[in-house]
Amino acid sequence: MSAHKPVLLAAAVLVLAGSLAGCASTSLEEKAPVAQKAATGDLVRTVRSADGKTEGEISGTPAPDSRFAKIKIGMELQQVVKLIGPYDGMYGSETAKRWIPFYLGNDARRGIALYKGDGCLTFTGGNFWSAGGNELIRIEVDPAGKCYQP
């Protein structure tokens, strides 16, 4: 009977490893960017920051002479304000990542800034311990300001 214990233990380890791998795997939908439409009806493009560390989204195309034409995904809030001026309004919200135990990423909260006449900018707001954050992750060109929903 004791000769079967290693086989049962090995089988249990394989089952556990398989179930954990299934939880950690990424579906095809998560890997391939899907063209989405914003509230304005514009297509949403996924782009990377210049340094390749931050992935963000751009909805619409800013006019060449607009404030939004000067900014890039991955910039920090202070850089954006220094470059294009202060925002007209801002509100924050929590993401579902806020409830992941021991989540150390910087996207547990988000801040959405309104620039009247241009649209909205979304910044990461840090994690549960307020660490990290303030990186631009979404540019939504919407001169009407419909993107701002506090």
Side-chain angles (χ1 to χ4, degrees):
M1 194 84 176
S2 64
H4 295 288
K5 285 185 181 179
V7 173
L8 291 175
L9 181 60
V13 168
L14 287 175
V15 169
L16 180 60
S19 65
L20 290 176
C23 293
S25 68
T26 308
S27 70
L28 184 58
E29 294 171 341
E30 293 172 348
K31 288 181 183 176
V34 177
Q36 303 172 18
K37 287 205 174 196
T40 58
D42 293 324
L43 286 179
V44 177
R45 303 181 310 281
T46 301
V47 296
R48 286 213 164 271
S49 61
D51 62 7
K53 294 181 180 178
T54 305
E55 186 175 279
E57 299 174 336
I58 300 176
S59 169
T61 304
D65 59 341
S66 73
R67 296 183 282 185
F68 282 12
K70 300 174 185 176
I71 59 175
K72 304 286 183 216
I73 294 295
M75 293 178 78
E76 291 191 9
L77 177 61
Q78 293 91 355
Q79 290 175 301
V80 171
V81 170
K82 187 175 181 180
L83 187 63
I84 67 172
Y87 43 84
D88 297 301
M90 180 177 259
Y91 72 94
S93 64
E94 292 183 342
T95 67
K97 294 175 184 175
R98 159 70 171 86
W99 303 106
I100 298 172
F102 307 108
Y103 176 69
L104 300 176
N106 68 352
D107 194 22
R109 288 182 274 158
R110 291 188 179 175
I112 293 93
L114 171 66
Y115 280 86
K116 289 182 180 173
D118 288 305
C120 296
L121 303 177
T122 303
F123 295 88
T124 59
N127 60 26
F128 178 74
W129 297 277
S130 298
N134 293 325
E135 293 176 336
L136 180 61
I137 58 170
R138 183 175 173 90
I139 300 170
E140 189 161 352
V141 178
D142 179 16
K146 293 178 183 176
C147 55
Y148 193 70
Q149 303 281 329

